[in-house]
Amino acid sequence: MEKAADSFMETRYYPLFVSLDERLCLVVGGGSVGERKIRTLLRFGAKVLLVSTECTPWLKAQHEGGNIHLLGDVYDKNLLHGVDLVFAATSDKALNERIANDAHSLRVWCNMATDPEKGSFIVPSVFEQGPLTIAISTGGLSPAVARQIREKLEDQFGREWAIMLSFMGLLRKAIQSKGLKSDQNQLIFREMARLPLIGWIQNNQRDQAFQAIYDICGSWIGWDELTQLWNEAWNPYSSSSLPSLTASEPSDI
Ligand SMILES: C[C@@]1(CC(=O)O)C2=NC(=C\c3[nH]c(c(CCC(=O)O)c3CC(=O)O)Cc3[nH]c(c(CC(=O)O)c3CCC(=O)O)/C=C3\N/C(=C\2)[C@@H](CCC(=O)O)[C@]3(C)CC(=O)O)/[C@H]1CCC(=O)O
Ligand SMILES: NC(=O)c1ccc[n+]([C@@H]2O[C@H](COP(=O)([O-])OP(=O)(O)OC[C@H]3O[C@@H](n4cnc5c(N)ncnc54)[C@H](O)[C@@H]3O)[C@@H](O)[C@H]2O)c1
């Protein structure tokens, strides 16, 4: 099937979680879209360079605080050298298109605000709950719906998910250190993932959770070790910072 370059429907966007730690991201355009993209980029540890004729007050403050680098108000193709991602976020459609073309010729990944299909990646709606990251895309069809889905999921995935995942991560490491065969590990982890841990965490039913986990892997993990891992997983979420949970913090068995 021939690909229509101007159609979102024809583009299959490959979802990917990339590390932006210390990566250079050039944003051209410091209006509301540029600001939104930069807020997310900074949250994920990118180094942000900005070119814009005007900047929002928040972006000015970021520049003054040394959190982003302002490279002036004139875009030039040479600025793309050494850059990992570029965001063409000006209100000047022709300039955005030029940036997308330059990026294409230099093989720099480009997000394009005015004609997104002319860029090479789009940005999903994202939220994090501890180690859990949920990213939503409508393939560019409706960013407003992507946002609505994010808001719904945010209500659904509260702090108990962060605690559960931290605990599962610790438990997984502990079991992996016991030197079992990988198919045995796999069986254990799959069985544990089926347990209703979320409900037990929400209701602080630690004994129930321990008993069920013990039934699965009690031959390798002792009760004391389980207690230690459970407490470690709960530690960052003391009852004061966990308003969505009704249960109190776990006490020692
Ligand atoms: C998810 C999010 C991430 C972020 O930007 O950080 C994001 N847009 C967000 C919000 C949002 N953007 C717009 C509205 C107004 C309502 C509406 O138009 O629907 C709202 C809603 C709001 O603000 O409430 C307007 C808009 N957006 C694009 C165009 C141009 C076009 O479609 O041609 C226009 C029209 C401009 C005009 O009409 O002039 C294009 C894109 N916006 C994308 C991402 C990519 C596709 C994502 C996907 O696959 O769904 C894509 C394709 C390219 C890109 O930018 O990467 C963020 C939600 C953050 C959150 O979770 O709250
Ligand atoms: N992709 C998205 O998520 C999304 C969302 C809303 C709007 N848009 C589109 O993106 C464009 C930007 O939206 P906005 O709300 O940020 O607009 P805006 O007017 O708030 O900001 C535009 C920015 O671009 C800068 N700019 C304009 N011409 C420039 C040039 N030649 N060189 C350097 N900087 C220049 C301006 O100084 C300003 O800071 C709009 O035209 C809109 O169609 C995209």
Side-chain angles (χ1 to χ4, degrees):
M1 192 168 63
E2 206 165 289
K3 182 178 178 286
D6 61 349
S7 165
F8 273 132
M9 304 293 267
E10 300 296 327
T11 306
R12 303 266 294 137
Y13 289 97
Y14 178 67
L16 184 71
F17 286 85
V18 292
S19 166
L20 287 184
D21 235 12
E22 298 293 314
R23 293 284 177 174
L24 275 185
C25 297
L26 173 67
V27 179
V28 188
S32 58
V33 172
E35 175 177 323
R36 194 172 67 233
K37 305 296 183 201
I38 289 173
R39 280 179 185 269
T40 311
L41 289 171
L42 291 178
R43 195 148 65 87
F44 286 90
K47 277 196 183 307
V48 175
L49 311 173
L50 175 63
V51 171
S52 191
T53 42
E54 305 265 337
C55 290
T56 63
W58 184 84
L59 284 170
K60 277 188 192 138
Q62 295 313 303
H63 166 57
E64 281 155 17
N67 298 327
I68 62 175
H69 304 274
L70 196 53
L71 300 181
D73 56 6
V74 180
Y75 164 78
D76 184 274
K77 185 177 181 179
N78 285 325
L79 294 174
L80 291 179
H81 291 289
V83 154
D84 295 288
L85 301 177
V86 63
F87 293 76
T90 76
S91 44
D92 179 342
K93 268 171 90 84
L95 175 60
N96 289 349
E97 196 162 339
R98 180 151 72 85
I99 296 167
N101 288 335
D102 292 347
H104 185 76
S105 69
L106 293 171
R107 303 186 70 80
V108 174
W109 293 96
C110 176
N111 177 262
M112 216 284 210
T114 36
D115 297 286
E117 64 287 349
K118 292 184 178 155
S120 51
F121 71 95
I122 58 174
V123 179
S125 183
V126 175
F127 83 93
E128 290 172 286
Q129 185 55 263
L132 174 68
T133 305
I134 296 188
I136 302 122
S137 170
T138 62
L141 293 183
S142 177
V145 171
R147 179 195 180 134
Q148 206 176 43
I149 295 171
R150 168 182 63 79
E151 285 166 355
K152 266 193 194 163
L153 291 174
E154 265 175 344
D155 288 343
Q156 208 174 314
F157 288 86
R159 289 281 170 88
E160 60 279 6
W161 285 85
I163 295 167
M164 187 271 268
L165 282 170
S166 304
F167 180 58
M168 289 293 265
L170 291 166
L171 201 53
R172 181 163 180 260
K173 264 219 166 94
I175 287 170
Q176 280 172 334
S177 75
K178 309 292 176 193
L180 308 180
K181 290 202 180 113
S182 98
D183 55 344
Q184 257 176 311
N185 280 345
Q186 193 178 335
L187 206 71
I188 291 171
F189 300 144
R190 284 190 179 170
E191 272 189 63
M192 282 199 305
R194 275 198 290 268
L195 296 176
L197 274 172
I198 287 297
W200 288 332
I201 288 170
Q202 273 172 323
N203 300 315
N204 201 16
Q205 292 167 295
R206 185 177 67 166
D207 288 3
Q208 245 137 316
F210 276 23
Q211 194 54 60
I213 293 165
Y214 208 69
D215 288 346
I216 297 171
C217 59
S219 321
W220 302 283
I221 297 267
W223 204 266
D224 284 351
E225 198 173 354
L226 274 184
T227 308
Q228 201 188 322
L229 301 178
W230 178 269
N231 287 341
E232 206 179 313
W234 272 80
N235 229 356
Y237 307 98
S238 64
S239 50
S240 59
S241 64
L242 198 59
S244 62
L245 293 188
T246 47
S248 59
E249 273 183 279
S251 56
D252 281 340
I253 287 177

